[in-house]
Amino acid sequence: MASLLTKLRALFDRPPDPVALAEAERLRAVYRERCGHFRHLLSANKTALEVMADMEETLRGGRPFGLHYVRGASTRVTASVFQMVRALNSLTEDRYRDLYASFDAVRTAIEACLGSRHRSERGPLVLPIADISLDMADETGGKMANLGEIRRRLGISVPDGFVVTASGFQYFMAANGLQEEIDRRIQAANAGRLDEVFALSSSIQSLILRAPVPDDLAAAITAEVERLAASHAGPLRLAVRSSAVGEDALGASFAGQYRSELNVTPEDVLDTWREVVASKYGVTAMTYRHNRGIPDEDVAMCVGGLVMVDALAGGVAYSRNPLDLRDNTVVINAVAGLPKAVVDGSWTPDVFVVSRDVPPRLVRREIASKPGRFVCDPVEGVRLVELPEAERTLPSIDDALAVEIASLAAGFEVYYGEPQDIEWALAPDGQLVILQSRPLKEAVHEAPLDIAAAAGPDVPGGGGSAYPVLLAGGAAASPGTGAGDVYVVRRDADLLGFPDGAVLVVERSLPRWAPLLGRAAAVVAEAGGTAGHLASVAREYGVPALFGIEGCVAALEGAGTVTVDADNRRVHPGRIEALLERTPPRNLMQGSPVFETLQQVARLVVPLNLLDPESPSFAPGNCRTLHDITRFCHEKSVDALFGAHEGSPAEALAGKQLRAGVKLQYWVIDIDDGFIDPVPGKVVDIANIRSLPMLYLWDGMVAVPWAGPPTLDAQGFFSVVFESTANPDLEATAASPLANKNFLMVSADFCNLQARFGYHFCTVEAQAGHDAHGNYVSFHFKGGAASPDRRVSRALLVAEVLEEQGFRVDVKEDALFASCEGQPREETLALTRLLGYLIIHTRQVDMIMHNATARAALHQRLRDEMLAVRQRPAVVVPYVQPHR
């Protein structure tokens, strides 16, 4: 920093006068300020790149996320890029003010993607079923809209009733100021932690249940109830059912996620309506929306009030086999009494399989043992009546009714143009009544494998399988194969301890266990069938499920790791990789509203279009994404700080080319006492560096001579060639005069390295003072010339060796972020030296990452050499009074 003073002495050959000293100090102050702006720019750049990498990983990965993540990531990256624009203009005296306009254009486009979806127009608060059709689903919810359509267009019997509309729901929420408070609570909670979701659910539901129903809304609901009572013979009872906007239409069934109350008296309808509204924030519903990428604000809770059907029998009919839509049959699940036992998985139902021939015919029936039936009760609402032993295995419906139901289901499929999932009931007068119809979602899976035929002879005791069998039988409620440790769940408290990747084992396949499906490898239940809500959600999630295996809880508890093969209805001990290879991974978020919003935002954030700093198109007006703006800011800030023109006042304070025997492509800028002696020329010798973090970093870089690029196999070579020619976003070292330079900013206790090696770049920053609380070392590494999977593999390898050294590491695609804070000076310097070693010896190794042997050998070599680097003697800098 004192080099300007030396130059002035040489020019005037006499002690500088006060004016010259003041000017020199002014220049130092200006330059320190510019270095400060540059450091702020680099810090903001690091944050922006971290958010971009996280966005890319989130889009490619399978982890669930909510709209608050998209908004939060957008805010962080936008704020960071704005800081870069401001720092660049501060650094260059507003030379790039046009960049603000480009930034504002991108920011405005991002805000448009995140625009509110709240409805602006208010419709009727309540509508009778007779006035509803399918095109009113945005106001009535899909469930009630379909019932209105069936009644009006098809003339098929459905219960009379009404729906409290989306407008009615939003009016209630607005009248009590609920939505703003709910949004605040949701944003403050961690949706990935079940304990927080339980607490959040309880607090929000209490909030709703305490809120009064506005008088005009209450009057509208009461009027509809009175209308039904006047037209109904005998005491009126209602089924109060959810019909949330977006059910089925968003590609998600929401099966069993909301509350339904049966046999409700007229005087209890208002309170029950509020309970169903509150169920929007039940644990199952909130977890489901989070896992499926559905924003809370997209789901208005419409509620239907339907005249109760005191069913003799009921159940669910699939117009196609839900496990394979190519199967030309209708599958019917049925129980005696109310269909509640079928949909909530209380016990295993009867199954009737009917061909779609003309005329249809019964192909198969499987009559289960049913312990009882649910019936309407004037006091309890719904009551379970136990069946005598002799009646438990009687068919719940006769074959003729099964064929009638199948014909109706096939007709619904023709009308709607896609397979249907239909809930039905047999009324006391013998009439078939439709309670619900929605699109049937097929499970995503490969064709089942015949294990016995494909794997060779039987194993003794294997039950016909090539592998030992713990359990066999039941029904494949969701296809595929999964493996993990057995975890038995009996009550809600057990949900909190469920580990990721475990096999969920339960007595009954209740909808309340659905929050675990996003983390479960498979599900096994003693009771339940393919038509239950838990089975539907398991198929959506792609989680293998095997239901109806009596005694499975006792048999599997404590069994350790098992493999559940739902396709062949077996549970095997241990983990059988040959079976697991058949189940493809599934991204639940794909195609969801939240996922699509993130995709739209990412298109405005992540792509890099400005590649060549020497091109005339490298200008503020051509920045179309936030990544473009960061690239422009970084390039121009480096030019401003390190590219001082010869003879300019700033030349004496500009970056110095590093010499370590010979001149190197490293430029060093002294922020504050980073040099031992003043440097009058353009070159600084390594022996003149005072900065200990830089010296330790450099010592690590030269500790072990680099042997050059690894020997490529043909696959690795062609990976590099293909990626270099096919990927327009792959940024090699550009043609800029500054492109081949690596830059170091140093002070006595600080170092920041910005280095680019061919197709990848890295940043190392270290603060190593005497106060351990302020010490840190961080590392950012990204890029490469090989295929993306090889680059990711290299990042994971580097992460492994850094974690072994005590770093906290985060890998997002091929980007690695590592840091360690609060260590004593000696340990911080030792870690900095290790990073110096790594940035040299991990160059170009991405090209061999598909070779398992070469990767393992490299991992061991890195470990061994890093141990030797750690043992190198301390770097000693002779004490010299700092220049001021």
Side-chain angles (χ1 to χ4, degrees):
M1 285 284 177
S3 57
L4 183 63
L5 183 59
T6 303
K7 176 173 281 192
L8 291 172
R9 283 175 178 156
L11 286 173
F12 297 101
D13 197 25
R14 60 183 174 83
D17 60 24
V19 174
L21 283 173
E23 177 62 14
E25 186 57 37
R26 187 189 70 80
L27 282 175
R28 286 194 197 96
V30 169
Y31 211 73
R32 285 195 184 99
E33 183 181 5
R34 294 177 70 203
C35 289
H37 293 314
F38 185 61
R39 288 184 67 177
H40 290 150
L41 187 147
L42 291 180
S43 177
N45 183 58
K46 177 176 177 290
T47 301
L49 293 177
E50 287 176 353
V51 177
M52 291 178 196
D54 192 63
M55 281 184 169
E56 289 183 286
E57 182 186 54
T58 301
L59 284 171
R60 293 192 182 118
R63 80 171 190 255
F65 58 94
L67 197 57
H68 64 277
Y69 163 80
V70 185
R71 288 175 173 148
S74 301
T75 299
R76 291 196 304 276
V77 71
T78 302
S80 297
V81 175
F82 178 75
Q83 291 169 15
M84 293 183 71
V85 175
R86 185 171 58 186
L88 175 63
N89 278 286
S90 298
L91 187 62
T92 61
E93 298 179 345
D94 287 338
R95 189 185 311 162
Y96 300 107
R97 289 200 62 82
D98 289 351
L99 202 55
Y100 284 108
S102 296
F103 169 80
D104 285 340
V106 177
R107 177 183 55 79
T108 300
I110 291 173
E111 289 175 352
C113 295
L114 298 171
S116 173
R117 292 179 170 87
H118 287 298
R119 297 156 50 92
S120 57
E121 296 182 4
R122 175 174 155 180
L125 302 179
V126 180
L127 285 170
I129 288 290
D131 294 346
I132 299 172
S133 59
L134 193 57
D135 57 3
M136 300 171 69
D138 286 345
E139 188 64 69
T140 67
K143 188 181 296 182
M144 294 301 122
N146 271 311
L147 284 182
E149 183 79 5
I150 291 167
R151 173 174 172 155
R152 293 180 65 184
R153 308 290 187 194
L154 301 181
I156 294 172
S157 179
V158 303
D160 196 5
F162 63 91
V163 59
V164 183
T165 64
S167 293
F169 164 78
Q170 288 163 351
Y171 176 49
F172 166 73
M173 298 291 279
N176 291 285
L178 293 174
Q179 194 61 58
E180 294 78 6
E181 177 60 19
I182 290 171
D183 290 344
R184 184 190 67 78
R185 296 188 187 192
I186 290 175
Q187 291 173 12
N190 182 351
R193 288 180 55 97
L194 265 183
D195 55 345
E196 291 195 29
V197 176
F198 267 100
L200 177 65
S201 170
S202 177
S203 71
I204 293 178
Q205 290 192 78
S206 296
L207 202 67
I208 293 172
L209 293 174
R210 291 195 305 266
V213 180
D215 291 343
D216 46 351
L217 177 58
I221 296 173
T222 301
E224 278 298 311
V225 174
E226 291 174 348
R227 176 185 67 81
L228 293 173
S231 61
H232 184 73
L236 176 68
R237 294 291 187 271
L238 297 174
V240 182
R241 307 187 65 180
S242 67
S243 181
V245 171
E247 284 187 87
D248 308 319
L250 295 174
S253 71
F254 286 85
Q257 303 307 298
Y258 303 126
R259 186 167 180 171
S260 290
E261 289 294 330
L262 304 179
N263 214 36
V264 177
T265 62
E267 55 269 23
D268 290 333
V269 167
L270 275 179
D271 286 339
T272 306
W273 171 79
R274 196 162 34 194
E275 290 172 2
V276 175
V277 168
S279 75
K280 176 184 174 182
Y281 297 99
V283 172
T284 55
M286 294 179 73
T287 305
Y288 183 88
R289 288 197 299 271
H290 179 67
N291 287 337
R292 296 308 312 269
I294 298 170
D296 175 71
E297 62 198 53
D298 279 7
V299 181
M301 181 55 79
C302 310
V303 178
L306 304 174
V307 173
M308 187 69 198
V309 178
D310 192 4
L312 300 176
V316 172
Y318 294 129
S319 68
R320 299 271 176 174
N321 185 340
L323 304 182
D324 183 3
L325 298 188
R326 295 163 297 185
D327 183 1
N328 195 35
T329 59
V330 175
V331 180
I332 301 166
N333 287 250
V335 293
L338 301 174
K340 169 181 167 60
V342 172
V343 296
D344 71 6
S346 297
W347 53 74
T348 304
D350 295 340
V351 177
F352 298 83
V353 180
V354 180
S355 77
R356 294 166 59 92
D357 301 331
V358 180
R361 58 185 177 83
L362 185 68
V363 175
R364 187 176 79 253
R365 63 175 180 169
E366 299 170 5
I367 307 304
S369 176
K370 302 167 288 296
R373 60 180 180 140
F374 287 104
V375 299
C376 294
D377 185 90
V379 177
E380 300 179 31
V382 172
R383 179 167 57 91
L384 174 62
V385 176
E386 290 191 12
L387 291 174
E389 191 70 35
E391 296 181 17
R392 293 186 177 186
T393 55
L394 294 177
S396 50
I397 59 175
D398 59 31
D399 295 352
L401 182 59
V403 171
E404 181 184 349
I405 294 169
S407 299
L408 197 62
F412 275 29
E413 179 178 319
V414 172
Y415 180 77
Y416 284 105
E418 60 182 328
Q420 294 291 297
D421 169 353
I422 301 159
E423 186 178 348
W424 56 272
L426 180 64
D429 62 1
Q431 187 175 31
L432 189 61
V433 180
I434 301 302
L435 306 179
Q436 179 177 320
S437 184
R438 63 186 177 193
L440 172 61
K441 305 296 188 300
E442 180 186 22
V444 178
H445 69 293
E446 295 179 356
L449 175 66
D450 185 340
I451 300 297
D458 292 349
V459 172
S465 169
Y467 306 102
V469 175
L470 287 173
L471 292 171
S478 179
T481 309
D485 292 340
V486 168
Y487 189 93
V488 175
V489 171
R490 292 185 172 90
R491 52 192 178 274
D492 285 349
D494 296 334
L495 273 69
L496 300 179
F498 189 86
D500 288 343
V503 171
L504 172 64
V505 178
V506 294
E507 292 180 355
R508 296 189 295 161
S509 54
L510 303 176
R512 66 199 289 189
W513 311 136
L516 298 179
L517 291 180
R519 298 156 58 194
V523 187
V524 182
E526 293 193 1
T530 59
H533 290 323
L534 192 68
S536 296
V537 179
R539 290 193 292 272
E540 287 182 40
Y541 282 33
V543 177
L546 192 54
F547 293 172
I549 300 187
E550 188 174 349
C552 68
V553 172
L556 294 179
E557 191 162 24
T561 302
V562 299
T563 297
V564 178
D565 180 3
D567 294 335
N568 292 286
R569 300 187 299 166
R570 296 187 179 106
V571 180
H572 303 277
R575 184 179 181 89
I576 303 175
E577 297 294 340
L579 299 180
L580 297 173
E581 292 174 354
R582 297 184 288 120
T583 304
R586 187 180 183 194
N587 185 347
L588 286 173
M589 301 293 296
Q590 193 92 32
S592 70
V594 169
F595 189 89
E596 291 176 352
T597 299
L598 181 57
Q599 278 186 317
Q600 293 170 7
V601 170
R603 293 188 192 106
L604 298 164
V605 174
V606 175
L608 181 61
N609 307 295
L610 296 185
L611 299 177
D612 183 4
E614 295 302 295
S615 169
S617 64
F618 198 87
N622 292 321
C623 292
R624 303 197 299 273
T625 67
L626 293 185
H627 202 168
D628 287 341
I629 296 174
T630 64
R631 177 74 173 89
F632 184 89
C633 289
H634 189 272
E635 182 72 22
K636 295 305 180 182
S637 64
V638 167
D639 188 23
L641 200 61
F642 292 90
H645 299 292
E646 187 172 356
S648 69
E651 181 192 2
L653 299 174
K656 309 296 180 180
Q657 188 172 10
L658 182 65
R659 179 170 55 206
V662 296
K663 292 181 182 179
L664 303 170
Q665 293 298 305
Y666 290 86
W667 271 254
V668 187
I669 184 165
D670 181 12
I671 300 174
D672 188 16
D673 294 322
F675 296 166
I676 295 174
D677 291 319
V679 180
K682 299 180 179 179
V683 177
V684 61
D685 197 274
I686 189 71
N688 197 28
I689 299 297
R690 183 198 305 277
S691 172
L692 270 179
M694 175 182 164
L695 291 174
Y696 271 81
L697 181 68
W698 190 260
D699 191 57
M701 293 168 68
V702 300
V704 180
W706 185 48
T711 302
L712 289 183
D713 56 19
Q715 189 178 14
F717 172 76
F718 284 114
S719 168
V720 174
V721 172
F722 176 80
E723 196 67 17
S724 298
T725 57
N727 186 354
D729 293 334
L730 190 63
E731 182 187 1
T733 301
S736 165
L738 299 172
N740 292 322
K741 295 181 181 180
N742 302 301
F743 304 101
L744 292 132
M745 297 178 63
V746 301
S747 68
D749 296 329
F750 172 81
C751 173
N752 177 287
L753 167 68
Q754 303 277 317
R756 187 179 297 275
F757 300 107
Y759 287 101
H760 77 266
F761 72 87
C762 65
T763 299
V764 178
E765 185 168 297
Q767 173 73 38
H770 293 290
D771 181 7
H773 294 291
N775 290 343
Y776 66 91
V777 56
S778 66
F779 180 45
H780 176 203
F781 178 94
K782 180 176 172 60
S787 58
D789 54 342
R790 286 179 168 85
R791 300 202 304 269
V792 170
S793 182
R794 172 173 61 178
L796 293 172
L797 173 62
V798 175
E800 290 171 22
V801 297
L802 286 176
E803 286 175 338
E804 292 166 2
Q805 298 297 331
F807 281 87
R808 184 177 67 255
V809 184
D810 188 16
V811 176
K812 295 177 171 48
E813 297 297 316
D814 65 342
L816 177 145
F817 307 90
S819 63
C820 188
E821 304 89 9
Q823 297 297 315
R825 188 183 204 195
E826 295 74 16
E827 178 64 12
T828 303
L829 291 171
L831 294 175
T832 305
R833 178 153 53 187
L834 291 180
L835 291 179
Y837 164 82
L838 272 180
I839 63 176
I840 296 300
H841 291 275
T842 53
R843 290 185 290 175
Q844 300 184 31
V845 300
D846 52 345
M847 298 180 286
I848 64 167
M849 285 295 104
H850 270 194
N851 186 319
T853 302
R855 189 185 191 278
L858 173 64
H859 194 172
Q860 190 58 50
R861 178 170 68 81
L862 293 176
R863 284 174 171 167
D864 294 343
E865 292 181 353
M866 288 174 75
L867 178 62
V869 170
R870 257 194 179 273
Q871 296 171 346
R872 286 171 66 83
V875 177
V876 178
V877 179
Y879 178 77
V880 179
Q881 182 67 32
H883 294 280
R884 295 294 181 195

